[in-house]
Amino acid sequence: MTLKCVSCNTVLVSEENFVKIKCPVCGTEIVRCESCRRNSVPYKCPKCGFEGP
Ligand SMILES: [Zn+2]
Ligand SMILES: [Zn+2]
């Protein structure tokens, strides 16, 4: 299974450099890399289009 950061589209190979969150609207799992999380890069839910900080 390939995980990609939804913000920068980086393919995540390590299990330690990303976070998983759930879309507050539809509950879809959203994956962000550590650097996007740290830099507060906005994300967008691939399913419902919700955008959040
Ligand atoms: Zn990223
Ligand atoms: Zn969603």
Side-chain angles (χ1 to χ4, degrees):
M1 179 180 166
T2 306
L3 294 173
K4 273 188 188 175
C5 173
V6 298
S7 296
C8 67
N9 233 24
T10 296
V11 176
L12 303 164
V13 287
S14 165
E15 299 220 341
E16 291 169 14
N17 65 353
F18 67 89
V19 289
K20 285 182 186 174
I21 55 170
K22 285 203 171 165
C23 173
V25 176
C26 68
T28 296
E29 204 164 67
I30 295 170
V31 181
R32 298 174 82 197
C33 69
E34 181 64 30
S35 75
C36 284
R37 191 186 69 84
R38 222 183 300 125
N39 294 317
S40 300
V41 177
Y43 63 85
K44 189 174 183 182
C45 174
K47 195 170 178 185
C48 72
F50 173 83
E51 291 184 58

